[in-house]
Amino acid sequence: MQIAKKYTSPFGKAIYPHLNKADVRFKAEGEFKVDLEVEGAEADELKLLINHLQEESVKQAQEKTGGKKSIKKAQLPFKEEDGKTIFKFKMKASGTNGKTGDTFKQRPALFDNELKPINPSDVSIWGGSTLRVSWKPLLWFTPMLGAGVSLKLQSVQVKDLVEGTSSGGSDAFEKVDGDASTKNTSNTNGNEEEVSEEDGDF
């Protein structure tokens, strides 16, 4: 099959997006990512495309190994739950180029429904937002995992934005009488912002 350099997903519901800030819980170099929940015919079309890409990955792996052994298929970058399909898009936040040895930093470009750039420092994209993803297919093969395809996140367009704050922030309380404020010399605004980013759903 002819592989395009980039594809665009249908609009879907974002699940646990890390688009404003890279997730560093499991990878020190950081990772921008979003799971996208898509339904109906649009999900079927994207699944069909990904399956075709994996077949191409198997074909390329067979050519590289001289066709001497059977190539197994790796796990696909989507899963099905309750009639819906959840696609996984990812981008490394930093790393080293395997060909040049140069280090790099990158992040996905973010746009609103009118194609105006979104500043990730000003607007937080939370789970439940409706968005679509521009992505690049990465075909790969390892003897242990088999031949597979990854959906490399490139950019995101947000159609309907869901924002929020951490449930552990100051919005969980109301002002009361006391003397703590007279003894508090810390920058509370900065602390609240840090908690929101660390604990929030993005």
Side-chain angles (χ1 to χ4, degrees):
M1 66 172 290
Q2 179 114 20
I3 300 177
K5 291 184 178 181
K6 287 184 182 180
Y7 295 92
T8 301
S9 78
F11 281 106
K13 184 176 76 173
I15 301 174
Y16 296 116
H18 284 78
L19 298 172
N20 292 81
K21 184 178 180 181
D23 184 4
V24 295
R25 286 177 296 177
F26 305 110
K27 295 186 178 181
E29 67 271 21
E31 187 175 59
F32 292 99
K33 60 185 180 181
V34 61
D35 289 357
L36 191 66
E37 181 183 286
V38 184
E39 301 181 50
E42 290 182 321
D44 293 337
E45 290 179 9
L46 185 51
K47 284 189 291 184
L48 182 62
L49 170 60
I50 293 171
N51 276 292
H52 283 323
L53 290 169
Q54 188 183 54
E55 292 293 343
E56 182 65 24
S57 183
V58 170
K59 179 181 177 182
Q60 291 183 12
Q62 288 175 331
E63 292 174 353
K64 289 180 181 179
T65 59
K68 296 179 181 180
K69 61 179 181 178
S70 176
I71 304 296
K72 70 177 181 179
K73 296 179 180 179
Q75 184 175 349
L76 289 165
F78 63 80
K79 61 182 180 180
E80 298 182 68
E81 293 182 355
D82 301 324
K84 302 172 183 177
T85 308
I86 300 172
F87 299 91
K88 298 180 176 294
F89 300 91
K90 299 179 180 181
M91 170 194 278
K92 286 183 178 180
S94 62
T96 303
N97 187 301
K99 295 181 179 180
T100 66
D102 296 331
T103 58
F104 65 86
K105 288 186 178 181
Q106 59 184 357
R107 65 179 306 122
L110 308 176
F111 303 93
D112 65 16
N113 57 301
E114 296 182 348
L115 295 181
K116 297 175 182 177
I118 293 175
N119 187 334
S121 299
D122 297 335
V123 178
S124 299
I125 303 171
W126 279 48
S129 296
T130 301
L131 54 82
R132 61 181 172 183
V133 178
S134 172
W135 58 279
K136 177 181 178 182
L138 294 180
L139 308 187
W140 53 269
F141 167 72
T142 67
M144 181 176 295
L145 298 177
V149 57
S150 296
L151 314 182
K152 183 181 178 184
L153 175 64
Q154 298 288 294
S155 58
V156 170
Q157 183 185 21
V158 181
K159 181 180 179 182
D160 296 308
L161 177 67
V162 173
E163 288 190 285
T165 56
S166 169
S167 59
S170 61
D171 59 327
F173 309 107
E174 59 183 17
K175 292 182 179 181
V176 296
D177 292 332
D179 65 358
S181 62
T182 62
K183 299 175 182 178
N184 181 17
T185 58
S186 64
N187 184 345
T188 56
N189 289 333
N191 290 339
E192 287 175 7
E193 184 175 345
E194 182 177 352
V195 170
S196 175
E197 289 190 358
E198 189 65 27
D199 295 342
D201 186 16
F202 56 92

